[in-house]
Amino acid sequence: MADVYDCTDPDERAAGLDAAVAAIGAGELVLLPTDTVYGVAADAFTPAAVARLLAAKNRGRTMPVPVLIGEASTLVGLVTVVPPVATRLAEAFWPGGLTLVVEHAPSLAWDLGDAEGTVAVRLPDDAVARDLLRRTGPLAVSSANRSGRPAATTAGEAVAQLGAQAAAVLDDGPRAGSAASTIVDCTVPAPRVLRVGAVPVDRLREVVSEVVD
């Protein structure tokens, strides 16, 4: 079972972040809070680690793993060109509960599943997650639950489902809302909502009127 670190305590938070960074570097999984639900994370650039994440969730390659980043500026390094609509949505809703699907740079050495040249990227509005991301770089992160089961809103729920597969757990208390992020595909002429979640469609249309759902 993974070691659990209470991130509401400054010393444990520091120790937990160190342990999480080491675990990610070793290709292992980490359970962490985000601003939506608890997630399970792996190094986005280590295919074996991403495969371990998919296996832990009992999830197939047909549902590629999203990527979390610690700073909005990181997005530029992951894509060939950032679509203007993606820039506008990111400026309005990042950090926060919006995931943007964009075409990733062909040179990136990652395998997140059968994504066909695209990647789903989000900048979470969570201090612990972003502290970790700033140290590790982009992480492949999915909700910390077995496929088909409810998303974990506490570290305890995450541990109950995936604790045996993780090396470290960052516990920062419960997450108030269980809504996952809203996902918008920015690779098509009219940005399309693939999943409605934390950001309502009407708020998206206030920024980009051509969004379709």
Side-chain angles (χ1 to χ4, degrees):
M1 188 63 68
D3 292 325
V4 179
Y5 297 88
D6 179 4
C7 292
T8 64
D9 176 274
D11 291 336
E12 278 209 44
R13 174 173 169 154
L17 287 169
D18 287 345
V21 169
I24 293 296
E28 297 179 299
L29 304 182
V30 170
L31 304 181
L32 77 166
T34 75
D35 49 340
T36 54
V37 296
Y38 271 76
V40 54
D43 179 14
F45 297 100
T46 302
V50 176
R52 187 173 293 117
L53 184 157
L54 290 170
K57 286 179 59 74
N58 194 28
R59 174 169 164 173
R61 288 177 51 82
T62 56
M63 296 178 66
V65 185
V67 169
L68 295 189
I69 56 178
E71 299 292 347
S73 58
T74 303
L75 179 63
V76 176
L78 302 180
V79 301
T80 304
V81 177
V82 180
V85 292
T87 298
R88 287 155 60 193
L89 290 169
E91 288 175 346
F93 300 107
W94 278 5
L98 178 66
T99 297
L100 301 176
V101 177
V102 293
E103 294 181 1
H104 69 72
S107 59
L108 292 182
W110 60 15
D111 182 2
L112 302 167
D114 298 334
E116 300 181 347
T118 66
V119 61
V121 184
R122 188 165 82 87
L123 174 64
D125 188 13
D126 184 274
V128 173
R130 291 184 68 184
D131 280 353
L132 178 61
L133 288 158
R134 290 184 184 108
R135 294 177 60 178
T136 62
L139 293 177
V141 180
S142 183
S143 55
N145 58 283
R146 299 279 287 176
S147 186
R149 295 183 61 184
T153 57
T154 68
E157 292 174 359
V159 169
Q161 297 194 58
L162 298 179
Q165 286 79 36
V169 180
L170 302 179
D171 182 355
D172 196 41
R175 289 304 175 251
S178 60
S181 66
T182 296
I183 302 176
V184 178
D185 184 356
C186 296
T187 69
V188 290
R192 182 163 56 98
V193 177
L194 303 181
R195 181 178 73 192
V196 179
V199 180
V201 175
D202 58 351
R203 288 193 60 205
L204 298 174
R205 289 192 177 125
E206 290 174 3
V207 177
V208 177
S209 60
E210 58 266 38
V211 166
V212 298
D213 58 353

